[in-house]
Amino acid sequence: MLQKSRITSEVDFEQDGKHQGSLRLPHSVHRSAYGWIAIPIVVIKNGRGPNVLLTAGNHGDEYEGQLALMKLCQQLKPADVRGRIIMLTAANFPAAIAGLRTSPIDDLNLNRSFPGDPDGRPTAAIAHYIESELLPISDFLVDLHSGGSSLMYLPSALTRQVNDNRLAAKQLEMLKAFAAPISYCAAASHEDRTLLAAAERAEVAAIGTELGGSGTTSVHSLAVAEFGVRRVLKYLGSVPESDVGEDPTPTRVMEVSSSAYYVYAPDYGVWEPLADLGDDVKAGQPAAAVYCPQTPWREPVEAHFEHDGKIICRRVPGPVERGDCLFHLATDWSE
Ligand code: ZN
């Protein structure tokens, strides 16, 4: 049994209409003894229909989703909606206003904090509120991410591999409706601290995205985000008359099946990429050469791809430490 959250909501989840305001997370600090952190929330409800939770800013330096939801919450009117849409435009708000992956208050990563703790640090309290208050009143979740400051993705949507076949089938349909250029199913993992893992615990059909990255946005990545969310809302019957633009190219369904799909920096230094985002590569092919700025006369240390596949993600910054992720691959889904 989950403990009750200390976060209170200014908005009503049950009344029809559009309700916007803050979730109030008590935060008593030197500069503000009785203050609270104001996490923006928008709820649009109109009669019966699906209950959809849309989240962005789970990582604060991922902007496609934040912009897509800020625009959507201004555009949608209650009459457009069937059922209820809850939007968290900046789920880890302290991280979002700082433009950081993790919260500057507690250094915690929201997407490694579920199921959270109502008495914990702010990020843990947010995770707990989402898992104990928002997921139980939701049927569907779209959690919008991108590569953030350190990674760049080919615009992708993804699901977590789940045990429940009915849930898995629903999630695949949501991926197809979102119609990102690439969709992938991430391998079964023991990582149970993410929002998608929390959704699985709550039996909420959920997809995530990796829409671009590099700590910025583009016309293309933002269009994938905005139309993708609208297409999912239309598919679910949540916004039946939504303008979803032209018919998209069907998504390429892929998988990221094992740790062999990832390449990590083998040493400290500055890395030279030996392949580019979108390239198709073979196992054994050189992936990167790492030069040491302190001993430039030394031969670089090479890293190799351990698997065949398409590069859907690469590291952005030039400096690396041993263990930094440089690339990850995906392969066509084999079922
Ligand atoms: Zn993220």
Side-chain angles (χ1 to χ4, degrees):
M1 178 68 187
L2 289 165
Q3 273 178 276
K4 183 133 184 63
S5 177
R6 296 184 189 279
I7 295 176
T8 55
S9 174
E10 292 177 352
V11 302
D12 194 301
F13 293 101
E14 302 305 328
Q15 296 290 318
D16 277 1
K18 187 171 186 172
H19 313 284
Q20 51 212 18
S22 298
L23 299 174
R24 298 182 173 193
L25 165 54
H27 191 54
S28 176
V29 289
H30 178 77
R31 56 160 283 278
S32 181
Y34 301 152
W36 33 270
I37 296 168
I39 302 160
I41 184 165
V42 179
V43 179
I44 306 176
K45 186 169 184 302
N46 183 21
R48 299 174 78 82
N51 293 295
V52 184
L53 175 60
L54 303 175
T55 54
N58 181 332
H59 293 134
D61 60 344
E62 301 171 0
Y63 300 103
E64 289 86 350
Q66 296 183 47
L67 282 169
L69 293 193
M70 285 191 275
K71 292 173 76 173
L72 186 68
C73 80
Q74 295 182 24
Q75 291 160 352
L76 280 184
K77 298 185 289 293
D80 301 328
V81 173
R82 304 287 177 273
R84 176 172 55 203
I85 302 175
I86 300 173
M87 283 178 260
L88 288 181
T89 55
N92 197 354
F93 182 72
I97 52 167
L100 296 172
R101 178 174 181 82
T102 51
S103 171
I105 298 175
D106 52 29
D107 268 344
L108 290 174
N109 177 343
L110 177 58
N111 219 30
R112 301 291 183 277
S113 296
F114 291 87
D117 176 359
D119 299 327
R121 302 283 285 146
T123 303
I126 294 168
H128 177 268
Y129 183 83
I130 293 172
E131 180 146 357
S132 68
E133 305 279 341
L134 298 184
L135 284 175
I137 58 169
S138 301
D139 308 310
F140 303 97
L141 164 72
V142 182
D143 184 31
L144 296 160
H145 290 252
S146 73
S149 306
S150 74
L151 297 173
M152 184 70 185
Y153 270 88
L154 296 182
S156 306
L158 65 124
T159 57
R160 173 186 164 85
Q161 201 172 328
V162 293
N163 291 322
D164 178 340
N165 289 338
R166 219 167 42 91
L167 203 58
K170 250 193 252 178
Q171 294 183 164
L172 183 58
E173 290 308 309
M174 290 169 72
L175 279 186
K176 289 178 177 169
F178 193 97
I182 289 170
S183 298
Y184 64 91
C185 182
S189 105
H190 300 298
E191 182 53 78
D192 58 0
R193 300 170 296 170
T194 64
L195 179 45
L196 291 189
E200 185 185 1
R201 287 192 281 276
E203 297 177 6
V204 169
I207 63 170
T209 64
E210 296 291 1
L211 291 163
S214 307
T216 186
T217 60
S218 68
V219 171
H220 177 60
S221 67
L222 202 51
V224 173
E226 291 186 55
F227 282 120
V229 169
R230 282 186 170 272
R231 281 190 292 260
V232 170
L233 292 174
K234 187 167 190 166
Y235 163 73
L236 297 174
S238 175
V239 185
E241 305 300 326
S242 187
D243 171 15
V244 293
E246 292 171 17
D247 280 353
T249 308
T251 189
R252 180 172 176 179
V253 183
M254 306 187 84
E255 59 190 330
V256 179
S257 301
S258 72
S259 58
Y261 282 56
Y262 291 79
V263 177
Y264 295 94
D267 207 345
Y268 157 84
V270 176
W271 76 293
E272 175 193 8
L274 300 176
D276 277 326
L277 197 60
D279 284 358
D280 293 303
V281 299
K282 295 278 180 207
Q285 185 176 324
V290 180
Y291 290 80
C292 180
Q294 291 164 333
T295 49
W297 47 83
R298 242 180 57 200
E299 290 275 307
V301 183
E302 276 201 352
H304 296 82
F305 294 103
E306 289 180 27
H307 203 282
D308 296 355
K310 178 179 276 301
I311 300 175
I312 65 163
C313 173
R314 65 154 278 179
R315 177 175 173 83
V316 176
V320 289
E321 291 184 30
R322 181 172 163 80
D324 288 339
C325 180
L326 303 180
F327 292 112
H328 89 73
L329 306 174
T331 50
D332 284 315
W333 197 35
S334 53
E335 302 199 42

